[in-house]
Amino acid sequence: MDLQDQLKNLFPNHEPAPVEAAEEVAHELYVQKEPMICKFEKRKGKATTIIEGYEGSDADFKILAKEIKTKLSVGGTFKDDSIIIQGDYRDKIMEILKVKGFKVKRVGG
């Protein structure tokens, strides 16, 4: 007995509402003219990649941070108007951002 049958037994007079398909609208990120800075630092002896210089809203930058972390399968955070990624992933991050239409400048090393 599946869930629908169980619900029909509990509520015999209930008519299910028609299911409406919700349209998903892809979120457009603000693509700026100035390049974003992708730099490498060591913090507490560990390698980190830092992305700075985004001029759009913080919500868009957080979405971008989540996409990068998901694609690279790494940890990171959004803090003080910069994305901090664990590890040295400058080349991969620059490729991801270039595909999205951003200009990226490599700084350090």
Side-chain angles (χ1 to χ4, degrees):
M1 184 179 267
D2 68 344
L3 182 63
Q4 292 295 329
D5 292 335
Q6 291 176 3
L7 288 173
K8 286 180 186 176
N9 288 338
L10 289 173
F11 306 103
N13 296 331
H14 177 70
E15 293 292 323
V19 179
E20 295 180 17
E23 294 182 28
E24 283 192 30
V25 177
H27 186 75
E28 292 289 327
L29 292 174
Y30 170 73
V31 179
Q32 62 196 32
K33 295 183 181 182
E34 295 296 317
M36 293 172 58
I37 296 171
C38 186
K39 63 183 177 179
F40 171 78
E41 280 187 12
K42 281 203 167 191
R43 294 188 175 184
K44 298 182 183 176
K46 306 216 176 176
T48 58
T49 303
I50 301 169
I51 304 163
E52 297 175 332
Y54 186 69
E55 297 171 354
S57 69
D58 284 348
D60 287 349
F61 207 32
K62 286 180 183 180
I63 291 170
L64 186 62
K66 186 172 182 177
E67 285 181 27
I68 290 171
K69 291 188 303 184
T70 304
K71 285 185 181 180
L72 296 177
S73 300
V74 296
T77 185
F78 172 80
K79 186 190 280 186
D80 299 328
D81 296 329
S82 63
I83 300 172
I84 302 169
I85 303 291
Q86 296 173 352
D88 185 9
Y89 292 99
R90 285 178 290 181
D91 296 329
K92 293 179 182 178
I93 290 172
M94 287 173 66
E95 285 298 319
I96 291 170
L97 292 175
K98 284 180 184 176
V99 168
K100 291 193 161 290
F102 291 100
K103 294 178 186 174
V104 185
K105 190 174 191 179
R106 183 180 177 138
V107 175

